Amino acid sequence: MKMYWPVPQSYSREIPEEGVSSFWKNRKDRYHCGVDIYAPPYSSVIAIENCEVIERGIFTSPQIFKHWKETYYVLVKNLTGLFVRYAELSEIWVEEGAKVKGGNEIGRIGKVIDEERLENAPDYIKNLVKEKRTSMLHIEVYSKKPEKSNLYIGGNWFSEKKPEGILNPADYLRKCIY
């Protein structure tokens, strides 16, 4: 089955294996639940493979952390049975229940960090601003539908124990064609 790279306009097609953008990176008080693929704001995000949209909603918001802008997520179930969360989107083009073919656009990348409101932001956020990496696709992969939890906020898990069913997205992304 053909699998597509989710951000055709990404700055790089290297999968983050280390550093702040990598899977399960310890961010002192939280762990990163996915990988981040950096690209210009409003870049297209496409479905990696055929899927059904399970849910969509708000992912980040300044009401949660002042340094965040409002972004959105789409959770899909692929025909292979994996669940994929495409997040930090500025716009979503698909509705819940929609069947989407691999390679079709599901949304656009958002700018997640508000550069004017960094006073209480963690150091890694301030470093992302310095490096001009404020717009990205955050992608997570699960073997089963992720459950809602108060330990999960905007792609971060506030416990050392991993959420049930979470997988390293790097393993999945390596199968994508460029």
Side-chain angles (χ1 to χ4, degrees):
M1 173 179 39
K2 194 173 191 180
M3 294 173 60
Y4 298 85
W5 183 252
V7 189
Q9 298 142 323
S10 60
Y11 296 128
S12 170
R13 300 222 172 161
E14 290 183 27
I15 301 161
E17 302 284 349
E18 293 183 18
V20 71
S21 302
S22 62
F23 176 69
W24 211 247
K25 171 66 177 170
N26 184 343
R27 294 178 165 176
K28 296 188 180 176
D29 65 339
R30 64 193 83 179
Y31 291 83
H32 193 229
C33 290
V35 298
D36 295 331
I37 300 170
Y38 296 95
Y42 311 110
S43 297
S44 294
V45 174
I46 62 174
I48 294 172
E49 59 180 300
N50 294 348
C51 60
E52 180 180 353
V53 178
I54 303 299
E55 66 183 48
R56 47 183 266 164
I58 294 173
F59 191 67
T60 61
S61 167
Q63 283 76 37
I64 301 169
F65 291 113
K66 289 185 181 192
H67 60 270
W68 278 349
K69 291 188 173 192
E70 188 163 284
T71 64
Y72 307 95
Y73 75 92
V74 174
L75 179 67
V76 303
K77 182 177 183 184
N78 292 336
L79 292 182
T80 57
L82 292 176
F83 290 84
V84 178
R85 186 186 328 258
Y86 299 85
E88 297 182 346
L89 304 174
S90 63
E91 301 171 84
I92 300 172
W93 302 125
V94 294
E95 299 295 328
E96 287 184 20
K99 306 261 194 256
V100 181
K101 289 188 177 189
N104 285 358
E105 189 174 35
I106 58 172
R108 301 270 175 165
I109 287 190
K111 193 169 183 180
V112 68
I113 301 170
D114 186 338
E115 297 170 31
E116 305 298 318
R117 304 182 87 183
L118 296 176
E119 57 276 357
N120 294 319
D123 288 341
Y124 76 89
I125 294 290
K126 293 174 183 175
N127 288 335
L128 288 174
V129 171
K130 285 179 192 171
E131 297 165 2
K132 299 191 183 327
R133 295 191 300 162
T134 58
S135 57
M136 67 205 78
L137 172 67
H138 173 87
I139 191 162
E140 300 172 11
V141 178
Y142 296 84
S143 61
K144 59 184 249 173
K145 184 178 179 187
E147 295 182 21
K148 304 259 188 234
S149 172
N150 61 357
L151 296 175
Y152 180 86
I153 301 173
N156 297 285
W157 189 256
F158 289 80
S159 171
E160 289 183 16
K161 184 177 182 229
K162 290 181 181 177
E164 197 172 330
I166 196 166
L167 302 171
N168 185 343
D171 299 332
Y172 180 66
L173 290 169
R174 282 189 200 93
K175 300 174 186 172
C176 295
I177 62 163
Y178 303 111

